[in-house]
Structures are given as structure tokens and as C-alpha cells.
Amino acid sequence: MDTAQYKEKLLAEKKRLESGLSNVGRKTGVPGDWEATPKDMNVLRADVNETADEMEEYETRIAIDTTLEEGLAEVSAALARIEGGTYGSCRVCGKTIEEDRLSANPAAATCKAHIRS
């Protein structure tokens, strides 16, 4: 298996995910950990509706941060498998992950039979 093409895709995805994370949050100092930050909350305003809208926006940013952080962890794990020489092997059964699965999701850690494992 030529892992170079997958590594290139994974690095591009890592860059995209990190860009998305930097739009909704910041690194915490713990490797791989990000936290959502409020856009520009001004809770000193008297308007309760504006404050509620800002809190809702912050909750949305938290959800986005969580999703992107999970994706980044999967991509980072796949890159580590490439470096470790185990990329393309199912983490459940050890069989080779199907090419079409890796083409669709280069971060896949399981073969089709173990997608939900």
C-alpha cells in the first residue's frame, strides 16, 4: 500500500480541522486539546435577549469544537499509524482495510466489517 497519498490527504485534513478549531476556540496547552471561546460576549448588556443569543452562539461553538477536535484526533491517530507502520490494518481484526474505505476516509481505523467497533 502506498501510504504517501493517504498521508498527504490526512495532512490536508489536519490543516483544515486546525483552521476550523482556531475559528471557534484556542489550544489549551495540552497536546491535541482545544476549548471553545465565546465570540464576543458582553454579558454586561441590559438586554436579556442579546445575552441569551450570545450564550446560544457559545454553545454552538462548543459543539463545533467538540466535533472538530474528535476529527483531529482521528486524523492524528492515522498519521501516527503511518509513522508506526500499522496504517491500513484494522484495529479489531488486523486485516487490511479496503482501499475504497481508505479513499473515502483516510483516517479509518477499521475494515468495513468492523466500522461500528
Side-chain angles (χ1 to χ4, degrees):
M1 171 185 303
D2 179 22
T3 58
Q5 67 178 356
Y6 295 115
K7 184 175 183 177
E8 186 176 318
K9 287 180 181 181
L10 288 163
L11 289 172
E13 180 66 1
K14 181 178 179 182
K15 185 176 181 179
R16 186 190 71 78
L17 290 165
E18 287 176 338
S19 175
L21 282 162
S22 68
N23 287 330
V24 297
R26 65 176 177 242
K27 290 183 178 183
T28 64
V30 176
D33 189 37
W34 293 72
E35 67 180 353
T37 55
K39 191 170 185 179
D40 185 26
M41 291 181 65
N42 185 353
V43 292
L44 299 178
R45 290 190 192 132
D47 188 350
V48 180
N49 292 321
E50 282 185 41
T51 302
D53 288 344
E54 289 173 354
M55 290 302 294
E56 187 175 328
E57 169 70 19
Y58 181 52
E59 289 173 358
T60 300
R61 292 169 72 88
I62 290 171
I64 292 169
D65 173 85
T66 300
T67 301
L68 293 175
E69 197 171 336
E70 288 170 358
L72 182 59
E74 290 174 6
V75 167
S76 296
L79 288 167
R81 288 192 303 275
I82 287 174
E83 296 304 316
T86 61
Y87 183 79
S89 296
C90 177
R91 68 177 164 89
V92 176
C93 67
K95 293 182 181 175
T96 300
I97 300 173
E98 300 85 351
E99 286 284 332
D100 61 333
R101 175 144 166 74
L102 288 174
S103 292
N105 179 10
T110 60
C111 66
K112 290 177 184 177
H114 297 108
I115 287 176
R116 302 212 186 263
S117 297

